[in-house]
């Protein structure tokens, strides 16, 4: 009997070593988070993915995409006093003339709220611009999102979810002009030097950027995209005091533990979130 038991235990051990593990420990500090395959749209990890929350300056991903749809990167915009805004800035001055491309760098690298207002004005004014933002959100299936401004300052009518922002990031990752802009680490244009606030560009292998955000009410928000071996993942965290480390962990999880597993492998509940089969 003892011999049979030992043989059975040995066989079970061998089988266990041949079958991929199905549960992986992964937790993030964010109130809401999503990791998504940017090529297929498959959801790899989620935590409160559908909770409507403030998104701060990650809003500017949508702002940039609407501007790029409008076109005219080399068109000149004259800065107005009405473009001056609270919070982060690219330090525009009334009367200054800048190109749309320069404003987009200011929007995505140093998160300029002034750049957001100047770009909205260039595209037909605030009301028309916000309408376009919400139209694009509907087109992308962002059914739990509402945009009220181009810069992400707190507003009851301005919110999204981690899942919706991942859909936006997946779309943005296919826009070559957007990727070129948001992945730029530093640029000097017309004597103005701007550095990207996104530390992941320097700290995470294959990161191609996206957008940071922060307000007191929203907390830290972050949307990022990383490409390794021709495969892209997007990550979103909302209200996350440890977002740099969380995004690094999410990408390591996605690339080293998800991408290499057989497609038939099942996924179960993960600490702090869920990976659906």
């Amino acid at each position: 009997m003892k011999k049979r038991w030992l043989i059975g235990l040995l066989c079970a051990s061998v089988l266990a070593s041949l079958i991929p593990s199905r549960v992986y420990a992964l937790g993030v500090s964010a109130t809401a988070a999503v990791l998504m395959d940017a090529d297929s749209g498959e959801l790899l990890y989620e935590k409160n993915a559908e909770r409507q929350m403030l998104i701060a300056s990650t809003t500017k991903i949508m702002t940039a995409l609407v501007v790029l749809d409008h076109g005219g990167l080399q068109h000149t915009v004259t800065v107005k006093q009405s473009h001056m805004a609270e919070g982060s800035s690219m330090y525009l001055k009334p009367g200054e003339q800048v190109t749309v491309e320069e404003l987009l760098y200011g929007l995505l690298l140093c998160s300029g709220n002034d750049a957001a207002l100047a770009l909205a004005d260039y595209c037909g004014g605030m009301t028309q611009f916000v309408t376009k933002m919400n139209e694009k959100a509907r087109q992308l299936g962002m059914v739990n999102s509402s945009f009220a401004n181009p810069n992400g300052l707190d507003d009851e009518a301005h919110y999204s979810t981690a899942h919706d922002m991942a859909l936006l990031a997946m779309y943005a990752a296919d826009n070559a002009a957007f990727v070129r802009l948001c992945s730029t680490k530093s640029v000097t244009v017309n004597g103005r030097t701007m550095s990207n606030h996104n530390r992941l560009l320097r700290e995470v292998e294959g990161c191609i950027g996206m957008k940071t955000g922060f307000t007191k009410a929203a907390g830290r928000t972050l949307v990022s995209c990383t490409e390794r071996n021709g495969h892209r993942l997007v990550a979103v965290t909302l209200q996350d005091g440890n977002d740099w480390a969380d995004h690094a962990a999410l990408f390591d999880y996605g690339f080293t533990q998800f991408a290499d597993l057989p497609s038939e492998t099942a996924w179960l509940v993960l600490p702090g979130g869920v990976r659906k089969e």
Side-chain angles (χ1 to χ4, degrees):
M1 179 65 71
K2 185 176 180 181
K3 184 176 181 181
R4 288 181 181 178
W5 182 83
L6 289 173
I7 292 174
L9 180 62
L10 178 60
C11 290
S13 299
V14 172
L15 287 172
S17 69
L18 296 175
I19 298 173
S21 175
R22 296 185 172 208
V23 180
Y24 295 88
L26 176 67
V28 297
S29 301
T31 298
V34 158
L35 179 68
M36 182 178 286
D37 187 320
D39 300 305
S40 70
E42 184 178 3
L43 191 62
L44 310 182
Y45 175 88
E46 63 173 295
K47 178 183 179 183
N48 298 323
E50 305 298 342
R51 181 180 295 186
Q52 291 177 338
M53 299 177 64
L54 298 172
I55 56 173
S57 284
T58 57
T59 296
K60 290 164 183 164
I61 298 172
M62 177 65 84
T63 302
L65 291 170
V66 172
V67 173
L68 289 169
D69 285 345
H70 189 82
L73 287 181
Q74 299 309 315
H75 288 181
T76 299
V77 177
T78 301
V79 179
K80 303 175 183 178
Q81 182 63 42
S82 60
H83 299 157
M84 302 300 98
E86 62 178 299
S88 55
S89 174
M90 69 174 289
Y91 303 105
L92 295 171
K93 297 178 181 179
E96 180 181 5
Q97 291 192 322
V98 292
T99 66
V100 171
E101 183 176 59
E102 186 176 355
L103 288 171
L104 284 169
Y105 276 125
L107 181 82
L108 295 173
L109 273 64
C110 44
S111 202
N113 293 333
D114 48 357
L117 296 181
L119 288 166
D121 202 12
Y122 162 73
C123 292
M126 181 67 71
T127 299
Q128 183 175 327
F129 192 83
V130 169
T131 297
K132 290 180 179 178
M133 294 175 77
N134 284 300
E135 287 176 350
K136 196 167 194 69
R138 299 290 85 78
Q139 292 169 4
L140 298 178
M142 299 172 66
V143 297
N144 291 309
S145 299
S146 174
F147 293 91
N149 60 63
N151 47 36
L153 293 178
D154 300 332
D155 190 301
E156 289 183 357
H158 193 97
Y159 55 82
S160 188
T161 68
H163 181 259
D164 279 4
M165 292 304 290
L167 294 177
L168 180 63
M170 184 173 70
Y171 176 83
D174 281 335
N175 187 307
F178 177 85
V179 171
R180 174 178 63 83
L181 292 162
C182 77
S183 64
T184 300
K185 295 178 183 178
S186 180
V187 66
T188 299
V189 185
N190 293 329
R192 177 183 275 112
T193 298
M194 293 174 278
S195 297
N196 203 316
H197 290 177
N198 191 347
R199 280 172 43 184
L200 298 180
L201 286 169
R202 301 168 180 84
E203 297 177 2
V204 171
E205 177 192 354
C207 182
I208 58 175
M210 284 286 173
K211 191 67 190 74
T212 60
F214 173 79
T215 67
K216 287 184 179 179
R220 293 180 63 85
T221 61
L222 182 60
V223 178
S224 61
C225 179
T226 294
E227 180 174 359
R228 296 177 190 171
N229 299 319
H231 195 82
R232 299 173 302 170
L233 302 180
V234 295
V236 179
T237 51
L238 302 178
Q239 203 171 65
D240 185 358
N242 197 32
D243 51 5
W244 305 122
D246 284 342
H247 278 241
L250 283 166
F251 287 129
D252 285 345
Y253 161 76
F255 285 115
T256 65
Q257 297 195 21
F258 170 75
D260 294 336
L261 287 175
S263 59
E264 66 270 18
T265 300
W267 294 80
L268 306 177
V269 176
L270 300 169
V274 175
R275 165 59 165 92
K276 295 182 178 180
E277 291 184 88

